[in-house]
């Protein structure tokens, strides 16, 4: 059987260079994998039916699925919303352009919570995505489709967006690595804005080296994004084994953390101790306020960013007798309940009578959190902490309680508010066989150093092997050359340039 789908990105690059298979064979193998699995999982909203000629470059042949809020020229761009249901992207996001220039390609667009608002992908107006580990559970969100696609070996890599945790949380729920870079390292040009001061494009992979390979080739200054950082990549500053600095780890809150995650945490920390790092417990006194601050700031920015979806310029338009009624009906029918809730909350917080009390106050607390973290990162090169307070929950179990859902990002949001790079890492499985993962965060611009630490961690923990075992894709699978190329047509697929 052809199991090219089990290859990771580096194996694809080297396999193609050695002539072990062709890009077309890989393309068909992945398409077949999607045809056989994705009816149940629902990771993709649209798929590419043909492989365009590939450029030469370090990513030659590497497929990278895109969350459906990232523009890829000629492909649908829905943000999983009715308001953009039939919209087609008129240009490439910078990340897509750089991917293609370096030889990579986009296999398809993945499902998400509508406009990236949510933690389970259940807020998608266009379909359900299920966790490949257990189909009765959510994949996390909002980049749930990207996580499910990588975990089920439909693509080795995917991009998502992380505003408050939307890459790190679904990565953990699906047993993957999920990386949110330093704010400004990856261009946001061509990412549909949710909360611009927080949004970052993030990367999903089954190992840290694949993530590094993609990151190196899509990151860097972009004049099209005014928040893009001009700083050159930091030179290597790895510690020598003889002189390892102490790492910080976050003290757990007294409640609200799943007992199995609480129990696994010291074992996770021990991996770093065994690498030789001394560990020191730290507390961040304003951490617990971050969630509230985030929902005021992110909703305020969203209420402004989403004003452009008015029925005139983009997508869906509801016919109405007057212009006011047209705006009103288009937005009422076009946006789902969570998006409307955030727009209302944001508009309220920014209102003349409320600004000082809500948006202004939230900004002050954001600064306090940032100052505390700055102090922490002036003393420690890394912070270790949980990634999520619980493991993947069952579909429908939190969708009627938005506040419970918001708590999913308790451990990810503070780092987003301050713009620090952070990475979630798979660690072990729960009693029910669900992935449990943790997080590392680092000072600004220490992205590469953090990824190198993660590579050493993967060498010990073996997250990629665990995934392969779970999905019955053993070692013999990916060394075998393909036997045949299948050309099965799938109705739901389309040809994009
Ligand atoms: N779950 C958070 C929210 O609903 C974070 C979303 C995100 O990072 N895009 O806003």
């Amino acid at each position: 059987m052809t199991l090219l789908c089990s290859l990771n990105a580096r194996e694809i690059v080297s396999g193609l260079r050695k002539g072990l298979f062709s890009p077309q064979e890989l393309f068909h193998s992945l398409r077949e994998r999607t045809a056989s699995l994705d009816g149940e999982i629902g990771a993709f909203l649209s798929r590419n039916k043909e492989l365009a000629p590939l450029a030469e470059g370090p990513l030659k042949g590497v497929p990278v699925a895109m969350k459906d809020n990232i523009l890829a020229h000629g492909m649908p761009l829905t943000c999983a919303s009715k308001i953009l249901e039939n919209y087609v992207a008129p240009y490439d996001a910078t990340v897509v352009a750089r991917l293609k220039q370096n030889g990579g390609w986009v296999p398809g667009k993945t499902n998400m919570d509508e406009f990236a608002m949510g933690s389970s992908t259940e807020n998608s107006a266009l379909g359900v995505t299920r966790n490949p580990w257990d189909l009765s559970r959510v994949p996390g969100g909002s980049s749930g489709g990207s996580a499910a696609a990588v975990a089920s070996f439909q693509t080795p890599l995917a991009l998502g967006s992380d505003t408050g945790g939307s890459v790190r949380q679904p990565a953990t729920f699906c047993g993957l690595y999920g990386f949110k870079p330093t704010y400004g390292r990856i261009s946001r040009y061509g990412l549909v804005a949710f909360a611009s001061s927080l949004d970052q494009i993030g990367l999903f992979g089954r190992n840290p080296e694949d993530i590094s390979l993609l990151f190196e080739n899509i990151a860097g200054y972009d004049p099209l994004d005014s928040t893009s950082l001009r700083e050159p990549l930091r030179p290597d500053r790895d510690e020598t084994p003889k002189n390892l600095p102490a790492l910080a780890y976050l003290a757990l809150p007294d409640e609200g953390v799943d007992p199995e995650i609480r129990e696994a945490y010291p074992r996770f920390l021990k991996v770093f101790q065994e690498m030789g790092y001394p560990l020191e417990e730290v507390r961040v006194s304003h951490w617990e306020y971050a969630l509230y601050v985030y929902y005021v700031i992110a909703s305020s920015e969203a209420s402004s960013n989403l004003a452009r979806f008015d029925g005139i310029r983009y997508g869906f338009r509801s016919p109405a007798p007057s212009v006011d009624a047209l705006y009103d009906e288009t937005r009422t029918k076009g946006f789902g309940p969570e998006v409307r809730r955030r727009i209302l909350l944001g508009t309220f917080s920014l209102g003349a009578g409320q600004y000082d009390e809500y948006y202004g106050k939230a900004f002050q607390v954001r600064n306090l959190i940032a100052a505390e973290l700055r102090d922490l990162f002036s003393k420690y090169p890394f912070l270790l902490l949980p990634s999520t307070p619980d493991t993947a929950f069952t579909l429908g179990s939190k969708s009627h309680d938005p506040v419970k859902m918001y708590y999913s990002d308790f451990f990810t949001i503070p780092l987003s508010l301050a713009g620090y790079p952070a990475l979630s890492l798979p660690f072990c499985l729960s009693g029910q066989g669900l992935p449990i993962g943790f997080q590392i965060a680092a000072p600004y611009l220490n992205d590469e150093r953090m990824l190198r630490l993660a590579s050493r961690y993967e060498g010990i923990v073996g997250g990629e092997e665990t995934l392969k075992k779970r999905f019955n894709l053993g070692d013999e699978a990916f060394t075998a050359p393909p036997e045949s190329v299948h050309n099965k047509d799938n109705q739901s697929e389309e040809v994009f340039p």
Side-chain angles (χ1 to χ4, degrees):
M1 236 223 315
T2 307
L3 286 173
L4 292 177
C5 62
S6 66
L7 297 177
N8 64 38
R10 284 155 310 123
E11 289 162 346
I12 288 173
V13 171
S14 77
L16 282 170
R17 281 197 191 133
K18 289 185 199 142
L20 296 180
F21 51 87
S22 71
Q24 287 294 338
E25 285 169 326
L26 172 68
F27 177 78
H28 288 293
S29 170
L30 292 178
R31 248 172 41 107
E32 227 180 53
R33 178 97 183 149
T34 297
S36 68
L37 285 180
D38 212 41
E40 274 191 317
I41 295 174
F44 283 97
L45 289 174
S46 53
R47 284 284 309 196
N48 225 331
K49 200 175 168 188
E50 271 174 13
L51 185 62
L54 299 173
E56 291 302 324
L59 295 175
K60 175 87 184 269
V62 175
V64 181
M66 297 286 159
K67 184 176 183 176
D68 211 11
N69 59 354
I70 298 173
L71 283 85
H73 185 206
M75 295 181 81
L77 183 277
T78 67
C79 293
S81 179
K82 284 211 180 317
I83 214 157
L84 286 173
E85 197 168 358
N86 299 310
Y87 187 70
V88 173
Y91 61 91
D92 276 336
T94 295
V95 285
V96 173
R98 290 187 182 173
L99 170 72
K100 290 179 182 169
Q101 282 155 15
N102 285 305
W105 54 282
V106 180
K109 306 296 296 290
T110 57
N111 200 11
M112 56 186 278
D113 285 298
E114 186 176 1
F115 284 100
M117 298 174 190
S119 298
S120 65
T121 311
E122 291 166 299
N123 294 335
S124 168
L126 304 181
V128 179
T129 302
R130 295 170 186 277
N131 190 314
W133 288 81
D134 176 344
L135 296 174
S136 70
R137 293 175 188 268
V138 302
S142 64
S143 316
S146 288
V150 177
S152 56
F153 293 80
Q154 300 186 61
T155 177
L157 284 163
L159 294 184
S161 61
D162 189 314
T163 303
S166 277
V167 165
R168 289 163 286 160
Q169 185 257 24
T172 295
F173 278 15
C174 292
L176 301 173
Y177 289 85
F179 172 44
K180 182 198 87 73
T182 301
Y183 183 85
R185 285 296 303 279
I186 293 188
S187 169
R188 288 184 295 114
Y189 180 73
L191 166 70
V192 177
F194 159 17
S196 312
S197 75
L198 297 157
D199 294 342
Q200 271 299 278
I201 287 180
L203 299 78
F204 290 95
R206 295 188 291 259
N207 63 68
E209 290 84 2
D210 276 10
I211 289 183
S212 299
L213 174 69
L214 179 60
F215 179 60
E216 278 161 24
N217 285 290
I218 59 172
Y221 177 67
D222 178 12
L224 298 173
D225 172 0
S226 62
T227 58
S228 173
L229 291 175
R230 282 176 184 273
E231 274 84 347
L233 293 186
R234 283 276 163 91
D236 289 0
R237 288 201 297 124
D238 277 344
E239 46 285 335
T240 55
K242 287 211 180 77
N243 189 18
L244 292 177
L247 308 188
Y249 68 95
L250 192 73
L252 292 185
D254 294 336
E255 40 190 61
V257 179
D258 179 288
E260 284 190 273
I261 295 178
R262 196 178 280 284
E263 182 271 323
Y265 191 41
R267 287 189 285 124
F268 167 75
L269 298 176
K270 205 156 174 241
V271 174
F272 296 87
Q273 257 169 346
E274 285 178 0
M275 285 183 197
Y277 289 100
L279 296 183
E280 289 172 20
E281 188 177 67
V282 295
R283 282 163 212 279
V284 177
S285 61
H286 294 89
W287 193 279
E288 62 186 289
Y289 303 110
L291 208 57
Y292 310 106
V293 165
Y294 168 86
Y295 277 95
V296 172
I297 292 176
S299 303
S300 300
E301 293 185 20
S303 72
S304 161
N305 277 326
L306 270 58
R308 72 191 64 170
F309 303 103
D310 55 8
I312 309 285
R313 287 172 288 187
Y314 306 95
F316 171 74
R317 173 184 302 169
S318 177
S322 68
V323 175
D324 280 351
L326 185 147
Y327 288 151
D328 195 338
E329 285 179 29
T330 298
R331 288 168 64 83
T332 305
K333 290 185 196 151
F335 290 133
E338 182 63 25
V339 176
R340 292 203 302 272
R341 182 181 295 123
R342 307 261 183 128
I343 291 174
L344 288 172
L345 181 66
T347 307
F348 176 82
S349 315
L350 291 172
Q354 295 80 244
Y355 184 95
D356 287 345
E357 239 175 297
Y358 293 94
Y359 188 78
K361 188 59 76 187
F363 229 92
Q364 288 173 337
V365 182
R366 182 182 190 170
N367 286 336
L368 285 177
I369 294 168
E372 252 191 284
L373 287 173
R374 194 181 319 127
D375 186 42
L376 192 158
F377 284 123
S378 70
K379 300 189 194 115
Y380 301 98
F382 295 108
L383 170 66
L384 305 172
L385 69 165
S387 174
T388 56
D390 51 9
T391 51
F393 42 90
T394 49
L395 282 151
S397 62
K398 293 192 185 177
S399 39
H400 300 295
D401 187 345
V403 176
K404 225 173 169 186
M405 189 76 89
Y406 295 171
Y407 193 70
S408 277
D409 295 312
F410 181 84
F411 291 111
T412 49
I413 278 178
L415 299 157
S416 304
L417 288 173
Y420 287 105
L423 173 75
S424 52
L425 323 104
F427 180 60
C428 64
L429 300 180
S430 72
Q432 288 183 295
L434 299 169
I436 290 178
F438 292 93
Q439 208 185 170
I440 323 182
Y444 294 126
L445 296 166
N446 278 244
D447 308 64
E448 287 81 357
R449 186 184 185 193
M450 183 170 71
L451 287 166
R452 282 195 299 275
L453 177 62
S455 293
R456 290 174 54 207
Y457 168 92
E458 168 67 10
I460 299 164
V461 169
E464 187 168 23
E465 279 314 305
T466 307
L467 272 165
K468 278 191 184 161
K469 270 196 209 121
R470 169 66 181 77
F471 296 102
N472 301 320
L473 297 163
D475 264 358
E476 69 290 356
F478 68 85
T479 46
E483 283 158 14
S484 63
V485 175
H486 304 268
N487 253 317
K488 226 170 37 192
D489 265 346
N490 182 322
Q491 294 290 305
S492 67
E493 295 181 355
E494 295 172 59
V495 185
F496 307 114

